[in-house]
Amino acid sequence: MTVFAKIITGEIPADIVYENEFCIAFRDLVPQAPTHILVIPRKPIERLSAVEPADAQLLGQLLVAAKRVIALEGLCDARIVINDGSGAGQTVFHLHLHVLGGRPFDWPPG
Ligand code: 5GP
């Protein structure tokens, strides 16, 4: 069981900023920007590469939730990141969107 699964069940505490029937959004333990919030589906999907066509609506819900979080945080601009696999920096194998804001972001990312 991943730490995010434990956050969903309440076994591990988290600073939840938004939730609905599809997903939960909470502050990252090690923020990489003044605002750093993770949006995760309640459904335990390991990574973006593991999604199936039937998850299409759920993926849309995650983006809509990210938009909601951006508004709640009062961000003018935001960087949305999905690390898909360890080679891309994924460390927790429960699909999640990073919503980052509150500072400038470089492109290309490091
Ligand atoms: P990844 O590297 O998998 O894309 O992102 C995982 C993120 O989860 C990291 O930014 C890390 O700081 C965050 N994280 C790991 N464990 C916990 C935890 O127990 N609570 C919270 N709030 N964030 C966590």
Side-chain angles (χ1 to χ4, degrees):
M1 187 185 250
T2 68
V3 289
F4 291 175
K6 291 178 180 174
I7 286 172
I8 290 170
T9 61
E11 202 175 323
I12 290 179
D15 186 356
I16 294 172
V17 297
Y18 176 73
E19 62 183 315
N20 62 31
E21 65 183 295
F22 302 105
C23 60
I24 300 180
F26 54 89
R27 296 191 191 284
D28 198 291
L29 203 57
V30 187
Q32 302 301 317
T35 295
H36 187 172
I37 292 168
L38 303 170
V39 180
I40 71 170
R42 292 185 185 277
K43 179 180 176 181
I45 300 171
E46 278 190 13
R47 53 187 285 186
L48 186 65
S49 293
V51 302
E52 296 175 354
D55 297 315
Q57 191 192 353
L58 177 60
L59 292 177
Q61 291 291 345
L62 294 177
L63 286 173
V64 172
K67 179 196 165 181
R68 179 89 172 124
V69 165
I70 288 165
L72 286 171
E73 292 292 308
L75 298 173
C76 297
D77 304 293
R79 171 70 58 84
I80 311 302
V81 174
I82 297 175
N83 295 323
D84 182 35
S86 54
Q90 186 175 5
T91 57
V92 179
F93 282 79
H94 182 119
L95 176 63
H96 52 281
L97 278 62
H98 295 260
V99 179
L100 300 135
R103 67 167 171 85
F105 295 96
D106 292 334
W107 193 263

PDB file of all heavy atoms in Angstrom, residues 3-4 7 12 14 26-30 36 38 83 89-92 96 98, ligand 1:
ATOM      1  N   VAL A   3       1.853   5.407   0.384  1.00  0.00           N
ATOM      2  CA  VAL A   3       1.516   6.447   1.367  1.00  0.00           C
ATOM      3  C   VAL A   3       0.254   7.195   0.940  1.00  0.00           C
ATOM      4  O   VAL A   3      -0.541   7.617   1.799  1.00  0.00           O
ATOM      5  CB  VAL A   3       2.670   7.450   1.594  1.00  0.00           C
ATOM      6  CG1 VAL A   3       3.803   6.812   2.345  1.00  0.00           C
ATOM      7  CG2 VAL A   3       3.148   8.051   0.304  1.00  0.00           C
ATOM      8  N   PHE A   4       0.056   7.333  -0.362  1.00  0.00           N
ATOM      9  CA  PHE A   4      -1.134   8.062  -0.812  1.00  0.00           C
ATOM     10  C   PHE A   4      -2.410   7.251  -0.521  1.00  0.00           C
ATOM     11  O   PHE A   4      -3.449   7.828  -0.185  1.00  0.00           O
ATOM     12  CB  PHE A   4      -1.035   8.403  -2.298  1.00  0.00           C
ATOM     13  CG  PHE A   4       0.024   9.426  -2.626  1.00  0.00           C
ATOM     14  CD1 PHE A   4       0.292   9.766  -3.944  1.00  0.00           C
ATOM     15  CD2 PHE A   4       0.745  10.063  -1.624  1.00  0.00           C
ATOM     16  CE1 PHE A   4       1.263  10.713  -4.246  1.00  0.00           C
ATOM     17  CE2 PHE A   4       1.722  11.005  -1.917  1.00  0.00           C
ATOM     18  CZ  PHE A   4       1.987  11.329  -3.244  1.00  0.00           C
ATOM     19  N   ILE A   7      -3.195   8.001   2.903  1.00  0.00           N
ATOM     20  CA  ILE A   7      -3.791   9.338   3.059  1.00  0.00           C
ATOM     21  C   ILE A   7      -5.275   9.278   2.703  1.00  0.00           C
ATOM     22  O   ILE A   7      -6.116   9.875   3.378  1.00  0.00           O
ATOM     23  CB  ILE A   7      -3.027  10.372   2.192  1.00  0.00           C
ATOM     24  CG1 ILE A   7      -1.674  10.677   2.855  1.00  0.00           C
ATOM     25  CG2 ILE A   7      -3.846  11.648   2.005  1.00  0.00           C
ATOM     26  CD1 ILE A   7      -0.734  11.532   2.032  1.00  0.00           C
ATOM     27  N   ILE A  12      -2.729   8.039   7.320  1.00  0.00           N
ATOM     28  CA  ILE A  12      -1.662   9.041   7.401  1.00  0.00           C
ATOM     29  C   ILE A  12      -2.322  10.404   7.242  1.00  0.00           C
ATOM     30  O   ILE A  12      -3.123  10.603   6.320  1.00  0.00           O
ATOM     31  CB  ILE A  12      -0.604   8.823   6.293  1.00  0.00           C
ATOM     32  CG1 ILE A  12       0.205   7.561   6.556  1.00  0.00           C
ATOM     33  CG2 ILE A  12       0.318  10.032   6.181  1.00  0.00           C
ATOM     34  CD1 ILE A  12       1.244   7.272   5.481  1.00  0.00           C
ATOM     35  N   ALA A  14      -2.896  14.364   6.296  1.00  0.00           N
ATOM     36  CA  ALA A  14      -2.459  15.231   5.200  1.00  0.00           C
ATOM     37  C   ALA A  14      -3.232  16.537   5.298  1.00  0.00           C
ATOM     38  O   ALA A  14      -4.331  16.584   5.858  1.00  0.00           O
ATOM     39  CB  ALA A  14      -2.723  14.561   3.850  1.00  0.00           C
ATOM     40  N   PHE A  26      -3.983  17.557  -1.678  1.00  0.00           N
ATOM     41  CA  PHE A  26      -3.358  17.878  -0.393  1.00  0.00           C
ATOM     42  C   PHE A  26      -1.962  18.439  -0.622  1.00  0.00           C
ATOM     43  O   PHE A  26      -1.351  18.219  -1.676  1.00  0.00           O
ATOM     44  CB  PHE A  26      -3.307  16.632   0.509  1.00  0.00           C
ATOM     45  CG  PHE A  26      -2.649  15.437  -0.124  1.00  0.00           C
ATOM     46  CD1 PHE A  26      -1.286  15.224  -0.029  1.00  0.00           C
ATOM     47  CD2 PHE A  26      -3.404  14.527  -0.849  1.00  0.00           C
ATOM     48  CE1 PHE A  26      -0.689  14.129  -0.620  1.00  0.00           C
ATOM     49  CE2 PHE A  26      -2.821  13.418  -1.453  1.00  0.00           C
ATOM     50  CZ  PHE A  26      -1.460  13.227  -1.337  1.00  0.00           C
ATOM     51  N   ARG A  27      -1.450  19.158   0.381  1.00  0.00           N
ATOM     52  CA  ARG A  27      -0.147  19.817   0.249  1.00  0.00           C
ATOM     53  C   ARG A  27       0.984  18.791   0.303  1.00  0.00           C
ATOM     54  O   ARG A  27       0.948  17.858   1.109  1.00  0.00           O
ATOM     55  CB  ARG A  27       0.052  20.866   1.351  1.00  0.00           C
ATOM     56  CG  ARG A  27      -0.949  21.986   1.224  1.00  0.00           C
ATOM     57  CD  ARG A  27      -0.646  23.193   2.106  1.00  0.00           C
ATOM     58  NE  ARG A  27      -1.803  24.091   2.093  1.00  0.00           N
ATOM     59  CZ  ARG A  27      -2.112  24.904   1.083  1.00  0.00           C
ATOM     60  NH1 ARG A  27      -1.330  24.977   0.021  1.00  0.00           N
ATOM     61  NH2 ARG A  27      -3.205  25.657   1.133  1.00  0.00           N
ATOM     62  N   ASP A  28       1.967  19.000  -0.594  1.00  0.00           N
ATOM     63  CA  ASP A  28       3.132  18.123  -0.631  1.00  0.00           C
ATOM     64  C   ASP A  28       3.947  18.303   0.649  1.00  0.00           C
ATOM     65  O   ASP A  28       4.101  19.413   1.155  1.00  0.00           O
ATOM     66  CB  ASP A  28       3.992  18.446  -1.857  1.00  0.00           C
ATOM     67  CG  ASP A  28       4.959  17.326  -2.196  1.00  0.00           C
ATOM     68  OD1 ASP A  28       5.907  17.113  -1.397  1.00  0.00           O
ATOM     69  OD2 ASP A  28       4.775  16.659  -3.225  1.00  0.00           O
ATOM     70  N   LEU A  29       4.453  17.178   1.153  1.00  0.00           N
ATOM     71  CA  LEU A  29       5.257  17.182   2.382  1.00  0.00           C
ATOM     72  C   LEU A  29       6.560  17.960   2.198  1.00  0.00           C
ATOM     73  O   LEU A  29       7.067  18.570   3.147  1.00  0.00           O
ATOM     74  CB  LEU A  29       5.578  15.724   2.756  1.00  0.00           C
ATOM     75  CG  LEU A  29       5.925  15.380   4.193  1.00  0.00           C
ATOM     76  CD1 LEU A  29       4.819  15.800   5.153  1.00  0.00           C
ATOM     77  CD2 LEU A  29       6.207  13.886   4.322  1.00  0.00           C
ATOM     78  N   VAL A  30       7.099  17.938   0.977  1.00  0.00           N
ATOM     79  CA  VAL A  30       8.374  18.618   0.685  1.00  0.00           C
ATOM     80  C   VAL A  30       8.136  19.562  -0.500  1.00  0.00           C
ATOM     81  O   VAL A  30       8.470  19.247  -1.645  1.00  0.00           O
ATOM     82  CB  VAL A  30       9.481  17.593   0.343  1.00  0.00           C
ATOM     83  CG1 VAL A  30      10.828  18.289   0.213  1.00  0.00           C
ATOM     84  CG2 VAL A  30       9.544  16.481   1.390  1.00  0.00           C
ATOM     85  N   HIS A  36       2.472  23.926  -3.549  1.00  0.00           N
ATOM     86  CA  HIS A  36       2.778  22.610  -4.130  1.00  0.00           C
ATOM     87  C   HIS A  36       1.736  21.632  -3.591  1.00  0.00           C
ATOM     88  O   HIS A  36       1.801  21.199  -2.438  1.00  0.00           O
ATOM     89  CB  HIS A  36       4.189  22.155  -3.764  1.00  0.00           C
ATOM     90  CG  HIS A  36       4.605  20.901  -4.467  1.00  0.00           C
ATOM     91  ND1 HIS A  36       5.899  20.410  -4.398  1.00  0.00           N
ATOM     92  CD2 HIS A  36       3.919  20.023  -5.264  1.00  0.00           C
ATOM     93  CE1 HIS A  36       5.973  19.298  -5.106  1.00  0.00           C
ATOM     94  NE2 HIS A  36       4.785  19.035  -5.631  1.00  0.00           N
ATOM     95  N   LEU A  38      -0.700  18.129  -4.386  1.00  0.00           N
ATOM     96  CA  LEU A  38      -0.838  16.887  -5.138  1.00  0.00           C
ATOM     97  C   LEU A  38      -2.311  16.560  -5.309  1.00  0.00           C
ATOM     98  O   LEU A  38      -3.073  16.628  -4.337  1.00  0.00           O
ATOM     99  CB  LEU A  38      -0.139  15.742  -4.390  1.00  0.00           C
ATOM    100  CG  LEU A  38       1.351  15.968  -4.099  1.00  0.00           C
ATOM    101  CD1 LEU A  38       1.874  14.886  -3.144  1.00  0.00           C
ATOM    102  CD2 LEU A  38       2.162  15.984  -5.377  1.00  0.00           C
ATOM    103  N   ASN A  83       4.896  12.886 -13.123  1.00  0.00           N
ATOM    104  CA  ASN A  83       6.092  12.066 -13.314  1.00  0.00           C
ATOM    105  C   ASN A  83       5.627  10.635 -13.551  1.00  0.00           C
ATOM    106  O   ASN A  83       4.990  10.032 -12.687  1.00  0.00           O
ATOM    107  CB  ASN A  83       7.000  12.142 -12.075  1.00  0.00           C
ATOM    108  CG  ASN A  83       7.555  13.542 -11.860  1.00  0.00           C
ATOM    109  OD1 ASN A  83       7.878  14.242 -12.816  1.00  0.00           O
ATOM    110  ND2 ASN A  83       7.650  13.962 -10.609  1.00  0.00           N
ATOM    111  N   GLY A  89      11.247  10.540 -12.364  1.00  0.00           N
ATOM    112  CA  GLY A  89      11.188  11.142 -11.029  1.00  0.00           C
ATOM    113  C   GLY A  89      10.053  10.659 -10.161  1.00  0.00           C
ATOM    114  O   GLY A  89       9.874  11.159  -9.044  1.00  0.00           O
ATOM    115  N   GLN A  90       9.254   9.694 -10.651  1.00  0.00           N
ATOM    116  CA  GLN A  90       8.142   9.211  -9.814  1.00  0.00           C
ATOM    117  C   GLN A  90       8.675   8.375  -8.655  1.00  0.00           C
ATOM    118  O   GLN A  90       9.484   7.467  -8.849  1.00  0.00           O
ATOM    119  CB  GLN A  90       7.159   8.373 -10.649  1.00  0.00           C
ATOM    120  CG  GLN A  90       5.917   7.978  -9.853  1.00  0.00           C
ATOM    121  CD  GLN A  90       4.862   7.255 -10.692  1.00  0.00           C
ATOM    122  OE1 GLN A  90       5.083   6.958 -11.865  1.00  0.00           O
ATOM    123  NE2 GLN A  90       3.733   6.980 -10.082  1.00  0.00           N
ATOM    124  N   THR A  91       8.237   8.720  -7.455  1.00  0.00           N
ATOM    125  CA  THR A  91       8.666   7.998  -6.256  1.00  0.00           C
ATOM    126  C   THR A  91       7.498   7.328  -5.535  1.00  0.00           C
ATOM    127  O   THR A  91       7.701   6.387  -4.782  1.00  0.00           O
ATOM    128  CB  THR A  91       9.372   8.947  -5.262  1.00  0.00           C
ATOM    129  OG1 THR A  91       8.492  10.021  -4.927  1.00  0.00           O
ATOM    130  CG2 THR A  91      10.658   9.505  -5.856  1.00  0.00           C
ATOM    131  N   VAL A  92       6.296   7.844  -5.751  1.00  0.00           N
ATOM    132  CA  VAL A  92       5.103   7.239  -5.137  1.00  0.00           C
ATOM    133  C   VAL A  92       4.236   6.691  -6.270  1.00  0.00           C
ATOM    134  O   VAL A  92       3.794   7.451  -7.146  1.00  0.00           O
ATOM    135  CB  VAL A  92       4.309   8.264  -4.302  1.00  0.00           C
ATOM    136  CG1 VAL A  92       3.062   7.598  -3.713  1.00  0.00           C
ATOM    137  CG2 VAL A  92       5.183   8.851  -3.191  1.00  0.00           C
ATOM    138  N   HIS A  96      -0.521  10.779  -9.617  1.00  0.00           N
ATOM    139  CA  HIS A  96      -0.761  12.089  -9.014  1.00  0.00           C
ATOM    140  C   HIS A  96      -0.317  13.211  -9.936  1.00  0.00           C
ATOM    141  O   HIS A  96       0.637  13.074 -10.701  1.00  0.00           O
ATOM    142  CB  HIS A  96      -0.064  12.220  -7.654  1.00  0.00           C
ATOM    143  CG  HIS A  96       1.392  11.872  -7.685  1.00  0.00           C
ATOM    144  ND1 HIS A  96       1.844  10.580  -7.692  1.00  0.00           N
ATOM    145  CD2 HIS A  96       2.499  12.652  -7.705  1.00  0.00           C
ATOM    146  CE1 HIS A  96       3.169  10.563  -7.710  1.00  0.00           C
ATOM    147  NE2 HIS A  96       3.589  11.816  -7.736  1.00  0.00           N
ATOM    148  N   HIS A  98       1.143  17.035  -9.813  1.00  0.00           N
ATOM    149  CA  HIS A  98       1.716  18.100  -8.991  1.00  0.00           C
ATOM    150  C   HIS A  98       1.146  19.423  -9.497  1.00  0.00           C
ATOM    151  O   HIS A  98       1.225  19.713 -10.695  1.00  0.00           O
ATOM    152  CB  HIS A  98       3.236  18.160  -9.150  1.00  0.00           C
ATOM    153  CG  HIS A  98       3.983  16.955  -8.663  1.00  0.00           C
ATOM    154  ND1 HIS A  98       4.622  16.907  -7.451  1.00  0.00           N
ATOM    155  CD2 HIS A  98       4.201  15.747  -9.244  1.00  0.00           C
ATOM    156  CE1 HIS A  98       5.221  15.729  -7.307  1.00  0.00           C
ATOM    157  NE2 HIS A  98       4.986  15.010  -8.374  1.00  0.00           N
TER     158      HIS A  98
HETATM  159  P1  5GP B   1       6.678  11.886  -7.357  1.00  0.00           P
HETATM  160  O1  5GP B   1       8.154  12.051  -7.112  1.00  0.00           O
HETATM  161  O2  5GP B   1       6.240  10.455  -7.184  1.00  0.00           O
HETATM  162  O3  5GP B   1       6.198  12.517  -8.631  1.00  0.00           O
HETATM  163  O4  5GP B   1       5.965  12.740  -6.227  1.00  0.00           O
HETATM  164  C1  5GP B   1       5.704  12.255  -4.963  1.00  0.00           C
HETATM  165  C2  5GP B   1       5.517  13.432  -4.047  1.00  0.00           C
HETATM  166  O5  5GP B   1       4.906  12.968  -2.866  1.00  0.00           O
HETATM  167  C3  5GP B   1       6.813  14.103  -3.634  1.00  0.00           C
HETATM  168  O6  5GP B   1       6.785  15.460  -4.038  1.00  0.00           O
HETATM  169  C4  5GP B   1       6.867  13.951  -2.125  1.00  0.00           C
HETATM  170  O7  5GP B   1       7.373  15.081  -1.476  1.00  0.00           O
HETATM  171  C5  5GP B   1       5.406  13.697  -1.781  1.00  0.00           C
HETATM  172  N1  5GP B   1       5.194  12.871  -0.610  1.00  0.00           N
HETATM  173  C6  5GP B   1       5.783  11.680  -0.309  1.00  0.00           C
HETATM  174  N2  5GP B   1       5.310  11.186   0.832  1.00  0.00           N
HETATM  175  C7  5GP B   1       4.373  12.065   1.275  1.00  0.00           C
HETATM  176  C8  5GP B   1       3.508  12.089   2.418  1.00  0.00           C
HETATM  177  O8  5GP B   1       3.492  11.194   3.261  1.00  0.00           O
HETATM  178  N3  5GP B   1       2.675  13.167   2.525  1.00  0.00           N
HETATM  179  C9  5GP B   1       2.642  14.163   1.596  1.00  0.00           C
HETATM  180  N4  5GP B   1       1.787  15.170   1.792  1.00  0.00           N
HETATM  181  N5  5GP B   1       3.446  14.178   0.510  1.00  0.00           N
HETATM  182  C10 5GP B   1       4.293  13.130   0.361  1.00  0.00           C
END
